[in-house]
Every structure is written in structure tokens, then in C-alpha cells.
């Protein structure tokens, strides 16, 4: 009896050891990814500075270049994850993916004032939208990224006014208002998302107050036809 | 992890305030990175030491009361070999890293491996001599002569680390006692029991001098209780029959009829 | 702008709603499974009663019949889990699978005094051993089941003596001793497993005490040849 | 056996008792230092009061006088610490040193609107910059002091407006923005620093809102050329 | 003995199973209610949009229609709750009732600028005011709804100005001021209520600031006779 | 407007004040009940003493007398609780009721070796079994009392052996084994109950070990016919 | 709660060990009960004081900047009356209970009411004189002459309790400022702001001398921040138009046209 | 204004600083006391060792000598405490006094198997029983010491068996049973005491199990007449 049991357990031992090695490897790649993410963030932070909004095209371009590096890292990562086990190790890259989704969405907003497409966001980091197609971005992580975007834009509306751009806050207000309506449609069960959604309400309120400040002082751009269209 | 990626374009801009600030921080960065890198290297060594030490402890647990001297010496010799390797390949390196440094700055990196090694070393010592290894005896192991590749160095083992390692020893001794009982060997557990009792009451002299020690004292107490309870069970059970017969029983002759009771 | 955002979110809403529905469905099946598991456990509890060990064949048979029901439930469950998402929902069935592994191993021990094969255990509940082959049993859950078996057998050794069966404790002692050696080979990182493994040592000690009690009273069966073989 | 153990422990006991005594002595000096630090802080708190900013020169002078007392205390302290044991007892003076670094940096900012030099800060309390040169200030404690400065200046920007000084907030905004860029360069491993750095982001946001309030009301000083230079 | 015990427990089992089933059923109805509540909220959110206040009658009408659905759901719910056990299951519908009270009070304010009657609110969702009369609304839940209303109106005062309605803020200011006086009368022991009441003070302060902004710009409607009446 | 709001709130104020007074009153009665419960417990503790089991009839009689006092207290309590609000205030008497259920069950076991009837237990403290009939004992509190009984009997089995009563442990073992089967039937959702049920398993195991000790020493009463009957 | 119910039958049994033990404990019981009863009585008085003090604070919050002296005096007089009643009916009793006792033993019972009263008293004092009441001024209120029913007694207010009461004052002043702003009265808040700034920096001289104070300091800081932010808002808003026009605005003339901006 | 406040606080600051100094002094003496207490404890720990119970007289004598040192320390301490301020600083020596009460009670138990007199215990450390008579031992601290004794004796009953002394556990069991009856008389309001009293129940249970183990093996000393007397 002893021998069989020993054999069985030796086999199991190897199995478990391999799994631990895999976790180490994943951690390693994710660390790289986090570094690149911090660099992208540093680049985009410049939009808040007095001359920042005027340099949006250059900033976005620099950021997009760094996203190329992310693609390689995603490739590295996805090569390591065995079929069927995405969610076994998901916790390792969850937070960095959320941050990347936020940064991707910020670029798209700055360039086009639109909400980023899920597929565009996934593509930017070299991942898929659907699990069926390969290494993908979890939907909840994408949504978390959008909520982080809301906070950033709320801050931007303040700094835009300082920089003398009175149009941006109106655009942001309309954008966040739509975003909020969108989120209201979702029946969020995920606790982290729900909490963050509460923050969105405050972000929106803040932007509304900026628009209020502009409008009570007659600084709100007259031609609001664009906006009426935006929110209808 | 490379940290040299953030080469800044701002440097060129001239003498604005921002450049000044950034330059100051660039200086800080190299300081911080130097420290972190050493820390990481020490953590790695320490982690290796931990793994190796755990293996030694695992190995030493093969000991069973009543083994032949040959068998026992084989186990001890194997342990000794492994400890030598750790000394040469790990602690010597560690000592060199810490030359000209305040070793306390890196104690958080060094500590886990060091303590685990002290645990293994004192366990080995107990098995060999039935005694507690002293701090002096430990310290002798940490003086390194220069070798082909490495310069000479000494690492001073702090008293606190020694005590923390010894505190962990209690857990292993408890396991040793239980394993031997499980294997039908009873005498050792009584010896371990007394050893731990003396150890615990010796520790009780220190108050709250070392924070970490408090937690470990609770563990030591629990280990002792387990051994006490095991000894108690042996004694209570053992008393059901006269000891000379008990010896037979334990020797496996098993020829006692029911009337003894 | 509003329309696009709304469209996007309507889509996401459906997606999330479907996921929540899936969780509900899983919970529903798992509940059934738990009920059956409780019934199996109730049947096998009878081994501790005075006449229990004499009825082992019947008890095992009844238990095995109930396992047939489990198979259907596993089928139901596995039908619901999309490819690649086993670990996304694993928490839902983790504990009931551990309990089932324990019960399967108990049956095999009672019937044959052997350690159950991982494949046999998986088969009993209608699952696979390897992820590659389909809906499987996670290795750590299987191991947890074995550790639960140790506690049960420790208790059984006491009740066997009460019922006058002096052989069983010796068998159990040898079995647990081998099991312990096996587990020692594993480098357990999982906290729950490691804690449970500590308990195994005490289970084993308890059984050894029973064997000791028997031997000092000359109640230990003479012919220990079987046992000698078992532990070598 | 008992004797050897007892001997060993008696020796260690004496050793530790001496160490314990040293800790007591350190605590005693540090307590003094904390009291002086509180006094410096009390002096500088006055900048928030209605007439405070007008009295900056006097306040800074009083504070600098108190720093003379700190120098003596540092001397006392450093005399007690054996060679190469700075970090063994570092925890005792860590927090008071951080606070002193903050206060030193505050004085320099108030006097010159510049970021304090690490060497100037160390000198003010009678310590060295590098450990090689003697009793020094740990770099991370210096950095922590700078982050505390950020919070204080954020509050000052509010009180400056109350006192009618509309220029200060702009200076503070530029200063904090530069400080943030600086910190972004660092790869912070220290948890406490990292957390405090998050707070810096909020401090900066708060100041930006103050500048916003001023600029939307046309209270922002016209000649912003200085500022543009400051943040570029 | 066995038999009696088994009998006893079989009975208890049925009893407990029925209770659990009841909880499931309640959860099911409450889920529906939550969905309808979200829809009402989405409808009424529109008041914050540029054209929102002009559409109040339509919005309220749509919302009231949805309340009809709530009535059915309340009926469903109350049918399930056995006499005497309202508070055994109260936690299940507590939060959705609070939200519904808020929404009912919002409708009444929008339509008539009055504080909703407790009886009117209860009636809107098909419940009673007093426990004696049947399935009722707990008083603390009603109060919590009113406090949620205060936050919403505070936000509305900002958005009303953006939309060019300078009258609304004055009405809201008077309304919240009265509400605050009312709450002051209560000796609140309930922690959640007390906390929320603190928030009311800040909501009120915010609205006062808006009114102040209007008055220094001469945007405050001249004929304030209405308001004088309101607050006396 | 002000007046109506004030009126409304004055009314609400009185309502809330009355409720708080009621809680005070309940707390007062429950305190008395706790005192009597401690006295009953003190009386019944004597069963563990060397001569205790011989004095069971007297002890039970004394305890029953004290239960008369409990009846009055229950009356006092139930008079205070408004119709429909039992569960609003249940937390106040929950724990003392659990303890009383335990003590009632202990008396019945000591007198007759039977499991107490729920109706008998309720009657002993002057309450009803069903909510419909008036002030009742919550089922889960009754069950908690039974689980407390298990621990007490486990201890009793040890002390019975010391007192030389070798029969009691067998009775207790059979009783607890039946109790465990009973509890297994229940699908416990209540966390506290589930945890306590885990303890029952250990209580049972302890008693089995006592019986084991008796049987291995031939101290188990020969005539086990009674017992075989008990457990079948 | 009566505790005399457990009269023991064992007393009669003679001189066994159990009786000895039980007799010892019976003695302990009366000691403990005596202390507990006094504690309970003090808790009750303290609770009454708390409720009454809260009412006084509530009442004082009716004050608005710019009230006529008559209105203001009416409020202050009403508060003063209520405080006198507390003194006579509660604190005098408390002082008698604590005669010949170590008052610190019962401070946990006394403290909540005492602190709340000190909060009310210092709030009253601030409204009356715009100043902080000193410990001496407080102490004068706690010397009680003998009356018809009660003997004379003195209760010494510990410095710690005084400080803790004063720390709570900050919360009320913050509320006072906000309430006045909400009512369109702005000047008071600037005064309160400075008062709190000085108070906070004065408190900052104490280190961790009093544990409870740490928590309250956080609250004080938060209260101050709220007032600072409110003052900031007033200032920023107020600056949009020249002050002489602002005065008009606030006076209600409201004839400012949009071109001012 | 500033001046009055500053004056008031300067005065208070000196007052508190003096108090702080006193606390430092107390801590210093108490530290000494703790060291002596640890030494006494170390001496008495030896009773658990194999030969310990045979050396009781010597051990108690050594311990009593150390208590002489405690007396001096108590004198030192009491000299520092101003009249009527015992309870202001009580927390400082509370725990060491509890430990000393425990050790005093242990000595008396070991020497005479009796419960220590409160006056004897107080005298041993040079304190009074009643506060009227001077620096005293708080009754609750004395009681806490007794409860600590219970745990120690529970452990001793195990080690006595290891050392072959089968009489001690019976004595301990009777002693603890009496102690428990005593504690039951008290209406404990002190939370710490109440919790510790719960532990006493477990200590007693543990000793009962030891006595059980002895009695089931016929190791219980025959002449139990003494014991019957002890517990009646
Ligand atoms: Mn270890
Ligand atoms: Mn207050």
C-alpha cells in the first residue's frame, strides 16, 4: 500500500510545484506591465498643466507608443496562461488591466470626445473582447476603467477652466451624464464596481458645479447647440 | 526590475524651477534604487536559506529514538553537510553584502532566512547533544575566511535573532516528540517535555523586550502544552500495567492477557 | 453621443444580466447537490453506531446509489459552465466537491481499505481528473477531501472498539500513517490545506493511542502480517 | 541541562537589559525633541491666521531659533547611538525627524518659495545627509517630510485666500505640481511613502480647485508669465 | 427514543424549510421592486438635464405610472408576510422602500413644491402608514427617504441655474430649511439616520450658496413675496 | 409651509420617543430574567459534583420552582411587546431565552432521559410554541438551547464516570447520537446555529471516547439491550 | 438590580472547606456590590447631566449674529437658569457621593456628563464674552455650600476633563458658524475661524498626554477645516463685487446689475 | 483673544507635564516590580517539572524571599501616589498586581492546599486590604489573580500525573470546584473578570477529565473521604 500512495503523492507534488512556478512567472510579467502603465500615466498627467490641453495630440501620440510595449507584455502574459485557467490567475493582472483600460479610454476621449469601444480598448493592449477569441479583458475590468476615467475628467474640467478653456467642462459634463445613464442600466452585483459607481455620481456633481460656475457668470459658450445634441 | 526607463526630456529645457526639482529627485532616485537593489539581493539569499533550512529540518525529523548509532550519525552527517553548504554559499555572500553597512537596515530582509537557519542549527545541536546551542557556538559559524572567489567577512548574529530562532525550535521539538510517540517511541517525549519546560521558564525572564518574541512565546506555550498532554496520556495509559510489562508491550511481544487489569 | 453610449451599455447590460442569471442557476444546482451530499453523509454516519460496521456493504451500496444522483447534478452543473470559465465560478461548488471527495474516499476505504484513486473519485461524481478532458475536480479539493477522511477514520477507530471490532483500528492506523507520509511530500502553499494537514497529525496520534490501548490489553489481533505488509 | 540553559539566558538577559536601558535613554531625548518640534509647529501654525502671512519673516525667525535647540538634541541623540546601529533604533526618532524635515521645508518655502535642499534640511537639525558622514537623516524620512509639506500648503492656499492673498495659491499650485512630477520619478517601495504620495494627488487637486475659484472670478493675478515658467 | 427524536426533527425541518422558502420568495419580489425602482429613478434623473425642468409634468407622469407597478409588487410582498412577522423579514425590503419614499417625495415636490404626506407616500406604493392597518412603511425608512430627497434637491438647485431657472433654487432653499428644522425636533437614536441628517446640513449650505450667488448678481427674482410666505 | 412641516415632525418625534422608552422597559425586565436564569444554572451545576447525580430529583425540583418566577417575568415582557413587533425587539431576549431553553431541556433529560418537547419547554417559561398563539419562543432559540444541552451532557458523562455511574455515559452517547441525526435533517441557514452544530460533533466525539474507555476496560454495563433499543 | 437573592444554604453545613471559600466570597460580594451601586447612581446622575447639557447647547444654537441685545440676553438667561439647576440638583449630589472617595475610581461614570456640561458651559461663555472660559472660572462653579437637604461639598474638576470638554466645544462652534452662514450672517464665522485656529495650535502643545484627546483632536481639526472652507467660500464669493456693494447686497437692496462682473 | 487662550494653556501644559513625569516615575518602579514578578514566576514554574512537586517547600521559600523585594517596591510605588489618586494611575500596576496575587495564592495553595486570605495576599506584597488603611490591592485584581491560579492548577494537574502524583489532581479538582461556587456568588460587572470566569469553567472541565482518566483506570486514591468532605 505504501508504495502506491507514495507514487500518487509524488505525482501530485510535481503538479503543485509547477503551478507555483507559473504564479511566479506571471507576477514577473505583470510587474513589467505595471512599470509601462506608470509611464503612460506620467505622460498623460501633463494635460492638467496650464499648457496641457494645447499639447493633446503630442501627448496622445507618446502614450500610444507606450501602448505598443504593453501589447508585447500582454502577449508574454497570455502565452503563460493555460487554456481554461484565465480566471484561476485573474487576480494577478486585474488591477493593471483596469488602469490600462482607463488610460486607453482617456486617450480616445481626448482625441475624439467619444466613449471608447470595448474592442478598441482591448486591441490597444493586444487582447480580445470575448473569451472565446483568446486572452481577453474581463468586462468588469473594462467598466472599472471607465469609472476611473470619470474621476480624471472631473479633475480636468477644473484645470480646463484655469487654462481658459470654457468649452471642455461642458463636453465633459455631457459625457459623464451619458456615462452615468449608461451605468444606471447595469444591475451591478460586483461590490467594487458599485462603490466606484457611487464615486461617479460625485464626479458628475463636481463637473455640474463647474458648468454652473461658468453659466452664472455668463462664461458658458453661447452656442450650446452641440451640447443639446450631445445629451439628447 | 529596471528603473532606469524614465529618462526625462525636461533636462534640456534650461533652468526653470521644474528642472531644478526634477534634478533633485533624480538624485534621490539613485539613492533609493541602490538601497532597494541590495535589499532585493539579500531577500533572495534569505529566501534560499529558508528553503534549504526547512529541508534540513525535514531531514532531521527522520530521527527516531532507539535508532542505531550508524543510522543516527548518517542523518546528522547529512544535515551537517547541508549546513556547511549554506554557510559557504549563502551566509558568506550575505556577510560581504553587509560589510560597511549598518546590518540593522537590512535586517528585515535577512531575518527570515537567518532565523530559519538558527532553528535548523539548534535542532541539529539538540539531536546531537541533547543541549541548547549557545549564542557563542552559533557565532563561531559566522566568521568567514577569504576563499578563491570571496574575501573574508564576519556576520555578527544579533542576540534577538538568536532568541527568535530558538523560540521556533520549540515547534520542531514538539513535532519530534509527537512523531516519535506515533512511532511507538515514548522516552524522548519526556525529555523534550522537560527541555521545553526549562526553555519556557527561561524565556519568561524577558519581559516585552522583543516585540516579535511575544507572539512566538504563545506558540512555544502551545507546543509545550501539546507535549505535556502527550506525556500525560502516555503516563496515564502506561500506568494501567506495570512498567516491566509495558516495556514488553512496547517491544511488541504483546503477550499480556486481559487479567492484568 | 447619448445614443451610442446607451447602445453600448444596453449591450453590456444584457451581458451582465446573463452572467448573473448563470450564477443563480449554478447556485440552484449546487443547492441540490448539497442536499444529496447531506443524505449520503447521513447514510454513512451509521458506521459509528454499535451495529454499524456490520452493515458496511449495505451502507456503501445505499451511498453509491445516491452518488448516481450526484452524477446527474454534476452533468447539470457542467452544462452550465462556459468553456474557459471553470475558475470564474469555482467558489460555488468548491466546498460541496470537497465533501463529495471525502465521502467517495470513505466508501472506497470501507469497501477495500485502499486509498481512492483520483480518477475513481472523479468518476463517482461524473467529473474528469484533468481540466483538458472537461469539467474536472480541482486537485486541491480532492486533497481536502482526503484530509476530511482522516478525521472521520480517527473517530471510527474509537467506535470500532466500542462495537468490538479490534481489527479496524490497526487498519486505520496503517492507512493514516501512509497518508501522512504522502502529504509530507507536498509543499503545500494553500493555507486551508496546510491547516487541515496539521489536524491530520492529531488524527493519526489519536488512532495510535487506540492501537496502543489494544496492544497493552492483548486485544490486538495476533496475525499482524497483513499490517506489516500494509505499511511497507 | 537546566543549568546550561539558565546560564545562556542569564547572559542574554543582561545584554538585553542594557539594550532596553539604551532605548529608555533614547526615548527620553526624543521626547524632548518632540516637545521642541511641537513648539516650532505651534509658531508656524500662525501662518494660517488672518494676519499670518504678513508676519512670515518674524515667524520663520522664531522657528529657526527653536531649531537651534533641536541641534543640541540631535547631538545628544547621536552620542547615544553605537556605530552601525542607527537603523536598530531608527523607529524611535523616525517620526519626529519626518516632522522636522517638514517644518524645515515649510520655512524654506515661506522664505523663498523654493524646494529645500536635502543638505540644508539636515544641517538645520544638526545632522548629516549621508550615513558615511555621521548621524544622518534617512532619505525616506526627508521625502515623507516633503509630502507633509504638500498637505500644509494645500491648507495654506485656502487660508491665503481668506486673508486676501490671491497670489500664494498660484505659487503653491505650481510648487505642488513640480513636486508631484518629482515624486512620479521615484519607484517607491516604501508603503507609507506610497500611501502618502496618493494624498499628495488630493492636495494638488484641492489647490487646483482654489486656483480655479480664483480664475473663474477673474481674481487670478494677470501676469501669469512667471507661473508658466514655474511649471515648465 | 430514536423515533421520537426523528419525528420531532422532521417536523422542525419542514418548519425551517418553509421559512427558507419564504425568504427566497421575498427576495424574488424585492428584486422586481428594485428593478422598477431603478427605472423610476432613471426617468426622474432627466430633471438634471438642460431641458429637464421643462418636462417635469411628463416625467412625473411617467414615474407615477411606474409606481402603479410598484403597488402590485407591494401587494405581492405583503401577501407573503405572515401576521406578526414584518420585522423578522424587514431587512429584505428596507433599502428599496427608502429609495421609493425618496422618489415619491421627489415627485410630490416637483409637482407641488410641498413636503409629501406620510400617508400619500405610503399610498403611492400601496402600503399603510400604521402597522395596525396592515403592511406598512417603517417610519425610519420614510425619514431616510426624505433625507435622500435633500441631496437630490441640492444637486437640482445647481442644474436649475445652468438651465436658466433662477426660481427653483429659492424654492428649494426654503424647503430644505424647513425640513432641517423638522429633523431637529427628532431625537434620532438610529445611527444611519443621524449620519444622513448631518449630510442634510451640508446640502442646505450648498443651496444657500447658490441663492447667494444669484442675489449678488441681481438674478434673484424680484418678487420674493412667495418665499417670505414659505419660510414663515 | 413651515407650520405643516413642524406639525408633521412633532408627531413623528413623539412616536420615536415612545419607542425608545419601550426599549428601556424591555431591557429592565430582561435583566431580571437573566438574574433568575443565573440562579437556575447555579442549582443545576451541582449535578457535576461527586454526590450530584444522586440528588437529581431535589435539584430538578428547586430548579422548577425558579422557573415559576421566570413565568411571571415572561408575562411582564410579553405585556410590553405590541402586536406585530416581536421581531423588532427580539434581540433583547434572544440570548436569555436560549439559555432558558437549555436549562429546561436539561431538567427533562435528567428526570426522564428524553428530549424535551418544544411545547413543554415553552410552557415552562410561560410562552407559546407558535407565533399565532401569542408571545412565543423562536424556533431557532429553542434549537440553540438543545445544542447547549449537548455540551453540558458531554461534561456530565465525564463526571458520571468519576462518580462511579457507568450507565449514564451510554445513555448520553445514544441521546447525543440521536440528537445529531436530528440536526442533520435540518438545512441550517442561521450562522450561529451552524457553528454551534459543529461543536455538537465534538461533544459527541468526547462522549464516544468515554464509552470507548469504559468498553475497553470491560466497564460497559453488560445489559445493553436498553441502549440498542435507544439507538434503533 | 438587587443582588441579594443568592442566600446560600451551605452556610449551615459546618466548617468544610467549601463553606470557608463561600464565606470569603460572600464578603467580596458586599464589597463589589457597594462599589457597583455607587457607580450606578453616578452613571444615572451623569446621564441626566448629559441630557440637560445637550438641551442647553441646543438652546444656545438659536443665537444669530446681529440679534438685538434683548433677544441675545433672553437666550443666555435661559441657558444660565438651566445650568444653575444642573449645579444644584446634580453636581451637588455628585460631589457628596464622591466625598471621601478617590474620585478617579468613578471617573468613568462621571466623565460623560461632566464633559458635556463643560462643553455647554464653555459654549455659553463664548457666546457671552467671545472668550475661552478658564479652568479656574469653571472650578468656581463646583463649590457647593450646604443647603436644607444637602451638606457642603466640593468637586475638583480634573484638568483632563476640562480639556476634553473644551475640545468638544469646537464642534459646536463649527455648527454655530455654519448655521449663521446658512442664515446669511457671515462675520461670526471669521471670528470663530480664528478662535478655532488659536485653540488648535494651543492644543498642539500637548503631545500624547491624554489618550482620549487624540481622537478629539482629529475632530477639532475637521471642524476647523469646515469653518476654514466656509470662510474661504465667503471670501471668494465676496470678492466678486466691491465690498461696499456687497454690503448693499447683503442688506437686501439687491439692485446690482449683471455688468458688475 | 490669542493671549488668554495661550496663557490658560501654558498653565495647563505645566500641570500635565508634571503629571506625565509622575507617570514616568511610576512606570519605572512598576518595571522593577515586573522584573521581580517574572523571577518569582520562573521559580514557581519549576513545579511543573518532573521533580518539581517534591521540591515545593524549597521553591516556595525562594519565592517568598523574592516577595520581600516586592514589598520594597510597593513602598516605593505607594510613596509616589498622591492621596486619593490611586485610581488615576491604577492602570499602571493593575496587571502586575494581578500576577502577584496569583503567585501569592499559588504559594499558599502549594503549602497548605487552602485558598489564600485576601489580607495574607496583600501583606505579602506590603499593601493593605482596604483603601482606608493606605495603599491597597483592588479587590478585582485579587479576584483576577485567583482566576489565573485556576489555569495554573489545571495545568499542574496534568503535570502531576506525569510526575506520578495521582493525589494532586483530586485536590485541585475539589479546590477549583469550590472556587467556582464562590465566583458564582458574585454578580460580576467587570467585563475582564467575567470573561476570565468563563475560562475557569474550562479549567475545571480539564481537571475533571484528568480525574476521570485516573478513576477509570483505578488510579484514583481509594480514600476519597477527604475529598467528599472538601466539596460539601
Ligand atoms: Mn519551524
Ligand atoms: Mn457636542
Amino acid at each position: 500500500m505504501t508504495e502506491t500512495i507514495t507514487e500518487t503523492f509524488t505525482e501530485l507534488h510535481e503538479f503543485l510545484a509547477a503551478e507555483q512556478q507559473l504564479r511566479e512567472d506571471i507576477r514577473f510579467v505583470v510587474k513589467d506591465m505595471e512599470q509601462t502603465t506608470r509611464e503612460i500615466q506620467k505622460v498623460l498627467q501633463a494635460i492638467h498643466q496650464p499648457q496641457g490641453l494645447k499639447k493633446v495630440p503630442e501627448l496622445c501620440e507618446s502614450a500610444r507608443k507606450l501602448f505598443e510595449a504593453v501589447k508585447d507584455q500582454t502577449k508574454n502574459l497570455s502565452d503563460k496562461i493555460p487554456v481554461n485557467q484565465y480566471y484561476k490567475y485573474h487576480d494577478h493582472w486585474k488591477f493593471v488591466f483596469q488602469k490600462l483600460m482607463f488610460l486607453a479610454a482617456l486617450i480616445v476621449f481626448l482625441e475624439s470626445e467619444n466613449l471608447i469601444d470595448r474592442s478598441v480598448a482591448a486591441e490597444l493592449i493586444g487582447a480580445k473582447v470575448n473569451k472565446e477569441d483568446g486572452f481577453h479583458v474581463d468586462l468588469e475590468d473594462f467598466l472599472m476603467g471607465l469609472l476611473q476615467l470619470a474621476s480624471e475628467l472631473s479633475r480636468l474640467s477644473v484645470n480646463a477652466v484655469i487654462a481658459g478653456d470654457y468649452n471642455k467642462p461642458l463636453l465633459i459634463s455631457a459625457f459623464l451624464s451619458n456615462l452615468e445613464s449608461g451605468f444606471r442600466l447595469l444591475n451591478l452585483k460586483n461590490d467594487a464596481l458599485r462603490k466606484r459607481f457611487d464615486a461617479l455620481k460625485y464626479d458628475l456633481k463636481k463637473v455640474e458645479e463647474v458648468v454652473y460656475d461658468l453659466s452664472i457668470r455668463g462664461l458658458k459658450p453661447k452656442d450650446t447647440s452641440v451640447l443639446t445634441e450631445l445629451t439628447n | 526590475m529596471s528603473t532606469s526607463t524614465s529618462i526625462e526630456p525636461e533636462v534640456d529645457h534650461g533652468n526653470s524651477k521644474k528642472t531644478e526639482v526634477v534634478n533633485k529627485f533624480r538624485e534621490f532616485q539613485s539613492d533609493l534604487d541602490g538601497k532597494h537593489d541590495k535589499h532585493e539581493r539579500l531577500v533572495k539569499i534569505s529566501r534560499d536559506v529558508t528553503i534549504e533550512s526547512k529541508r534540513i529540518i525535514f531531514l532531521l525529523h527522520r530521527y527516531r529514538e532507539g535508532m542505531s548509532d550508524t543510522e543516527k550519525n548518517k542523518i546528522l552527517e547529512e544535515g551537517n553537510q547541508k549546513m556547511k553548504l549554506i554557510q559557504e554559499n549563502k551566509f558568506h555572500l550575505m556577510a560581504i553584502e553587509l560589510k560597511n553597512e549598518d546590518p540593522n537596515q537590512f535586517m528585515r530582509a535577512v531575518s527570515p532566512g537567518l532565523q530559519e537557519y538558527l532553528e535548523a542549527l539548534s535542532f541539529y545541536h539538540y539531536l546531537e547533544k541533547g543541549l541548547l546551542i549557545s549564542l557563542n557556538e552559533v557565532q563561531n559559524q559566522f566568521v568567514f575566511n577569504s576563499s578563491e572567489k570571496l574575501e573574508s567577512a564576519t556576520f555578527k548574529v544579533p542576540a534577538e535573532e538568536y532568541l527568535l530562532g530558538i523560540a521556533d525550535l520549540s515547534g520542531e521539538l514538539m513535532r519530534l516528540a509527537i512523531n516519535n510517540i506515533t512511532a511507538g517511541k515514548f522516552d524522548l517525549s519526556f525529555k523534550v517535555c522537560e527541555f521545553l519546560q526549562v526553555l519556557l521558564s527561561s524565556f519568561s525572564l524577558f519581559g516585552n523586550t522583543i516585540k516579535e518574541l511575544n507572539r512566538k512565546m504563545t506558540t512555544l506555550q502551545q507546543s509545550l502544552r501539546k507535549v505535556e498532554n502527550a506525556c500525560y496520556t502516555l503516563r496515564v495509559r502506561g500506568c494501567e500495567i506495570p512498567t516491566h510489562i509495558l516495556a514488553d508491550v512496547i517491544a511488541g511481544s504483546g503477550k499480556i492477557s486481559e487479567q492484568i487489569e
Side-chain angles (χ1 to χ4, degrees), chain A residues 74 77-78 81 84-87 90 93-94 97 101 118 121-123 125-142:
Chain A
T74 303
L77 182 59
S78 83
I81 311 304
N84 280 359
Q85 304 203 31
Y86 184 94
Y87 285 105
H90 178 206
W93 58 81
K94 190 170 163 171
F97 267 36
M101 290 297 100
R118 210 172 140 201
E123 228 243 275
I125 66 163
K128 309 292 183 204
V129 168
N130 298 310
K131 317 180 225 301
E132 292 73 26
D133 305 333
F135 198 79
H136 69 292
V137 179
D138 185 76
L139 174 53
E140 297 187 342
D141 295 338
F142 174 70

Side-chain angles (χ1 to χ4, degrees), chain A residues 65-228:
Chain A
K65 262 183 211 141
L66 287 161
F67 265 102
E68 288 306 311
V70 174
K71 274 186 191 163
D72 293 346
Q73 291 157 347
T74 303
K75 177 80 173 55
N76 268 350
L77 182 59
S78 83
D79 284 354
K80 300 206 180 318
I81 311 304
V83 168
N84 280 359
Q85 304 203 31
Y86 184 94
Y87 285 105
K88 183 160 190 176
Y89 305 106
H90 178 206
D91 278 351
H92 291 290
W93 58 81
K94 190 170 163 171
F95 294 106
V96 74
F97 267 36
Q98 293 175 359
K99 183 79 62 178
L100 285 166
M101 290 297 100
F102 148 52
L103 293 167
L106 179 57
I107 292 175
V108 168
F109 177 83
L110 290 171
E111 289 173 347
S112 72
E113 280 139 23
N114 277 327
L115 179 63
I116 194 168
D117 253 12
R118 210 172 140 201
S119 58
V120 171
E123 228 243 275
L124 250 174
I125 66 163
K128 309 292 183 204
V129 168
N130 298 310
K131 317 180 225 301
E132 292 73 26
D133 305 333
F135 198 79
H136 69 292
V137 179
D138 185 76
L139 174 53
E140 297 187 342
D141 295 338
F142 174 70
L143 291 173
M144 193 57 110
L146 296 187
L147 291 171
Q148 291 177 19
L149 175 65
S151 293
E152 193 72 15
L153 294 183
S154 153
R155 184 182 164 206
L156 184 59
S157 73
V158 166
N159 286 319
V161 170
I162 296 178
D165 180 341
Y166 301 155
N167 211 30
K168 204 57 113 203
L170 279 76
L171 279 162
I172 292 174
S173 167
F175 182 80
L176 291 195
S177 167
N178 288 337
L179 203 61
E180 199 218 8
S181 304
F183 269 99
R184 260 183 208 291
L185 281 177
L186 308 181
N187 182 10
L188 299 172
K189 292 278 169 179
N190 177 312
D191 261 11
L193 271 179
R194 224 185 318 183
K195 250 190 189 160
R196 213 48 171 87
F197 175 46
D198 283 345
L200 166 59
K201 293 176 201 165
Y202 286 96
D203 294 331
L204 175 53
K205 223 178 128 186
K206 176 79 212 159
V207 179
E208 285 172 356
E209 282 167 19
V210 171
V211 174
Y212 162 88
D213 280 341
L214 292 173
S215 64
I216 204 167
R217 284 174 187 80
L219 299 172
K220 203 167 74 168
K222 298 276 140 65
D223 177 17
T224 57
S225 59
V226 191
L227 284 169
T228 314

Side-chain angles (χ1 to χ4, degrees), chain B residues 48-155:
Chain B
D48 290 348
V49 172
T50 303
I51 293 169
E52 283 305 316
S53 301
K54 275 189 195 294
R55 285 201 184 127
I56 294 171
I57 292 171
F58 184 78
L59 161 80
L60 294 176
H61 270 300
R62 290 210 309 248
Y63 173 76
R64 286 293 171 276
E65 196 186 335
M67 264 180 174
S68 72
D69 279 0
T70 330
E71 284 176 297
K72 181 177 172 181
N73 283 333
K74 202 176 143 248
I75 294 173
L76 288 177
E77 189 45 39
E78 204 177 330
N80 200 18
Q81 287 303 329
K82 280 181 194 271
M83 288 196 295
K84 278 217 176 97
L85 284 177
I86 296 180
Q87 284 297 332
E88 285 162 19
N89 297 333
K90 304 297 173 189
F91 281 122
H92 196 164
L93 276 179
M94 204 180 249
I96 289 170
E97 284 279 6
L98 291 174
K99 239 180 180 174
N100 303 321
E101 293 281 359
D102 177 347
N104 298 288
Q105 189 172 16
F106 300 98
M107 205 43 82
R108 222 155 31 94
V110 169
S111 203
L114 180 58
Q115 285 180 26
E116 197 71 35
Y117 180 76
L118 292 174
E119 188 182 339
L121 177 59
S122 58
F123 191 31
Y124 174 89
H125 195 88
Y126 180 83
L127 284 179
E128 194 190 13
K129 311 199 170 153
L131 294 174
L132 180 68
I133 196 169
S134 74
L135 177 54
N136 269 339
E137 288 168 300
V138 169
Q139 186 58 64
N140 289 337
Q141 289 213 7
F142 285 82
V143 181
F144 307 98
N145 299 322
S146 61
S147 72
E148 285 167 44
K149 289 166 276 176
L150 301 173
E151 52 182 323
S152 69
T154 300
F155 177 76

Side-chain angles (χ1 to χ4, degrees), chain B residues 14-30:
Chain B
N15 51 7
S16 73
K17 285 217 179 185
K18 179 160 189 175
T19 316
E20 258 180 73
V21 172
V22 164
N23 283 340
K24 277 181 184 164
F25 273 81
R26 208 177 300 285
E27 210 190 296
F28 302 158
Q29 186 185 8
S30 72

Side-chain angles (χ1 to χ4, degrees), chain B residues 116 119 168 172 175:
Chain B
E116 197 71 35
E119 188 182 339
D168 285 337
E172 300 307 331
R175 239 157 266 147

